Amino acid sequence: MTDTPHAVRLAGLRKSYGSTRAVDGVDLEVAPGEIVALLGPNGAGKSTLADLILGLSRPDAGTVAVFGRTPREAVDAGLAGAMLQDGAMLADATVGELAALFAAVHRHPLPVAEALDRAGIADLARRRATDLSGGQTQRVRFALALVPDPDLLVLDEPTVAMDVAARREFWAAMRRFVAAGRTVLFATHQLDEADGFADRVVLLHDGRVVADGTPRHVKSVVAVRTVRATVPDLDAAAVHALFGADGVTVDGEGVRISTTDADTVLRTLLEHSPRARDIEVTGAGLEEAFLSITEGTAR
Amino acid sequence: MNATYTVLEIRRLLRDRAALVLTAGLPTGLFVLYNAMWGDDTGATTELMVMMGVFAGLAATISAGGRVSLERHSGWTRQLRLSPLRPLSYALTKSTVALVLGMLAVTLVFAVGLAMQGGGADLPAMGESLALLWLGSIPFALAGVLLGQVGSAGSAQPRGMVVLLGSAFLGGVFVPIDQLPSGMEAVAQWYPSYWIDALAQAPFGESVDVLRAVLTLAAWTLGLAALVRWRYGRAER
């Protein structure tokens, strides 16, 4: 036993569904008070990881500890709360009744009114839980997650159904939550959301951690740009000689180069190809960035 | 079992007016119809009343399985897993709610039966018969919840329908038990709905093997409770 157990400690975690390896050997330690984004494209294993941390599914191999306990113990003790993507609302019940239900089953709950207030939905207490917009439903899930007054919140794509204003309000509520030194682990596929709120970003791809660090570090890894140009005066061999083979495709006169250093690529290109035209530099999506990372690690 | 959750579930049940009217109304409507066709004296009326009472209890409790299946597939039970509420506790609450709905449905049939008979009704017998139907609905409330725990959401309705029709037939709902072929009656004697009907007819003067009735119903109730415990206990890991 250590004096202060990790908020979350995952070791050698694996989980497969059929032949799909959703989580493929993840080791991760989250200290109390950290705000960690699990960043990855769809299918990277973020939701599976969230399920495993909450004890909603059992790992094929490896261990999960939440504040040094099993996930089930942590949930029962009210240490961990969560907002899931697909946690449905109960028909024919009001938001207030749902919160009261969660308060009734937890040992040391927040008062219902306070949980609703902290989630910014005090005005929705008397509304039917199934008559809400997507963004409102997300905030009801947030309120339910707050009822046990947890030390760790696990959020799976929390702002996915929210508009810009609701999103801003949600993250403001989350800042108030973490101000008291609590831990947040949230899954997202949006780099700017991870960048804006987390103090640590864990990049997931194909069920593995491919990068782990500050948002600035991870951004430098995933900030891939694509340089496209029509290059009539260089053949494929010459292009590959200049820019290598990774992320470089040549199709006739068309050249496409993925790079984290677009400036240097452009300078080199213009120096060696005076007739290069139709030059275009675009920021790549996260998906493309991941492709370049994993292609890089595979070689 | 958590009291707040059970009360909330019963309140939700009472709010779903359409389902309530359909579940409790269908057996009552059938009773009124059958009584208009065959209820020439009070003996036939009480027999039809008990038959439709059995049907009401079966239909209401078994349909609870569909709700469990729906909540399982919509993700509500997943949401509940984020609380200390146990799957077994959930199953007990759902069984209780199924039983409450069953009791309401049976009571409505009997209320209409009472109105039809007016002053000629045998009130103590009706009370006893009603209480027996309430008790007899317990194994089917468990069966309904068990049905909801297995299989896909889409198959929940047809599966419930098969169990309901089979149980209703063996319980003498559509054909009086003594008119079933003898082989059929021998099979039915191992099934709980047969004895629910037999017990509930007894207060009106029919004879019944009370010991065998109680043993059969108790065995099914305990067996189904054990299955519910096993199935939902597994979900708890």
Side-chain angles (χ1 to χ4, degrees), chain B residues 103-192:
Chain B
M103 287 162 78
L104 281 175
V106 176
T107 308
L108 185 63
V109 171
F110 269 56
V112 171
L114 182 65
M116 281 173 177
Q117 296 172 68
D122 181 351
L123 284 177
M126 280 188 75
E128 198 182 325
S129 181
L130 182 62
L132 287 166
L133 286 175
W134 285 356
L135 285 175
S137 299
I138 292 173
F140 288 97
L142 294 169
V145 169
L146 204 55
L147 275 174
Q149 172 71 1
V150 295
S152 69
S155 74
Q157 281 258 317
R159 276 183 290 132
M161 192 59 82
V162 168
V163 173
L164 171 60
L165 291 180
S167 305
F169 195 71
L170 293 175
V173 166
F174 301 124
V175 183
I177 285 165
D178 48 20
Q179 288 172 33
L180 288 175
S182 61
M184 201 63 149
E185 191 175 358
V187 172
Q189 282 177 353
W190 293 96
Y191 200 71

Side-chain angles (χ1 to χ4, degrees), chain A:
Chain A
M1 279 293 281
T2 50
D3 297 334
T4 49
H6 293 284
V8 177
R9 189 162 192 277
L10 311 177
L13 209 57
R14 284 175 204 283
K15 179 74 183 177
S16 296
Y17 293 105
S19 60
T20 312
R21 286 187 191 162
V23 171
D24 192 12
V26 168
D27 298 286
L28 183 67
E29 288 176 353
V30 177
E34 270 193 300
I35 301 165
V36 179
L38 288 174
L39 180 65
N42 292 330
K46 305 187 298 288
S47 295
T48 307
L49 213 49
D51 281 4
L52 290 168
I53 291 168
L54 296 164
L56 292 173
S57 62
R58 237 193 296 199
D60 298 334
T63 55
V64 180
V66 178
F67 294 109
R69 311 180 189 208
T70 67
R72 190 69 244 167
E73 286 166 355
V75 168
D76 284 356
L79 290 170
M83 255 175 88
L84 301 173
Q85 276 190 78
D86 55 354
M89 293 294 115
L90 207 50
D92 297 316
T94 65
V95 170
E97 283 173 334
L98 288 186
L101 166 61
F102 272 71
V105 295
H106 276 289
R107 271 164 228 163
H108 310 289
L110 285 181
V112 169
E114 190 174 342
L116 296 181
D117 196 43
R118 284 192 195 178
I121 52 166
D123 54 325
L124 297 182
R126 301 180 69 81
R127 290 272 297 277
R128 291 279 169 110
T130 41
D131 291 347
L132 304 172
S133 72
Q136 287 172 325
T137 305
Q138 278 297 78
R139 282 191 287 164
V140 173
R141 292 194 186 110
F142 181 36
L144 296 183
L146 288 178
V147 164
D149 198 13
D151 294 328
L152 166 71
L153 264 185
V154 178
L155 316 165
D156 191 5
E157 303 272 359
T159 61
V160 84
M162 296 182 190
D163 58 27
V164 178
R167 219 166 261 222
R168 197 175 300 138
E169 216 175 297
F170 176 81
W171 287 117
M174 202 56 69
R175 282 203 178 81
R176 290 194 292 276
F177 175 80
V178 296
R182 284 175 284 205
T183 315
V184 174
L185 186 67
F186 70 99
T188 181
H189 62 266
Q190 288 175 312
L191 182 59
D192 57 341
E193 205 160 77
D195 184 30
F197 187 68
D199 41 45
R200 178 178 161 201
V201 179
V202 174
L203 266 174
L204 277 181
H205 186 71
D206 281 343
R208 294 173 200 218
V209 175
V210 291
D212 182 349
T214 61
R216 179 196 286 266
H217 165 71
V218 171
K219 257 165 75 179
S220 75
V221 176
V222 297
V224 175
R225 286 171 203 276
T226 303
V227 178
R228 285 190 189 81
T230 305
V231 184
D233 47 357
L234 291 177
D235 61 10
V239 170
H240 286 305
L242 286 172
F243 304 107
D246 288 355
V248 178
T249 49
V250 183
D251 180 16
E253 294 188 349
V255 172
R256 188 170 170 280
I257 303 165
S258 295
T259 176
T260 50
D261 188 1
D263 298 347
T264 304
V265 165
L266 271 182
R267 285 197 185 93
T268 312
L269 180 69
L270 292 173
E271 191 184 323
H272 290 86
S273 169
R275 292 175 58 203
R277 55 189 160 81
D278 301 335
I279 298 171
E280 189 181 277
V281 181
T282 48
L286 201 53
E287 189 69 45
E288 218 167 319
F290 278 105
L291 273 177
S292 75
I293 294 169
T294 44
E295 276 170 7
T297 52
R299 271 160 205 173

Side-chain angles (χ1 to χ4, degrees), chain A residues 51 54-58 72 75-76 82 84 86-88 90-93 97-98 101-102 104-106 128 144, chain B residues 2 4-5 8-9 11-13 15-16 71 74-76 78-86 94 234 236-237:
Chain A
D51 281 4
L54 296 164
L56 292 173
S57 62
R58 237 193 296 199
R72 190 69 244 167
V75 168
D76 284 356
L84 301 173
D86 55 354
L90 207 50
D92 297 316
E97 283 173 334
L98 288 186
L101 166 61
F102 272 71
V105 295
H106 276 289
R128 291 279 169 110
L144 296 183
Chain B
N2 182 278
T4 307
Y5 184 40
L8 173 61
E9 283 293 297
R11 276 162 67 179
R12 287 181 53 231
L13 177 79
R15 278 177 197 158
D16 191 357
E71 290 183 3
S74 74
W76 169 247
R78 237 167 94 80
Q79 185 79 47
L80 276 184
R81 296 273 284 131
L82 298 174
S83 79
L85 192 79
R86 289 283 174 270
K94 284 288 167 188
R234 245 176 36 147
E236 273 176 48
R237 78 188 49 198

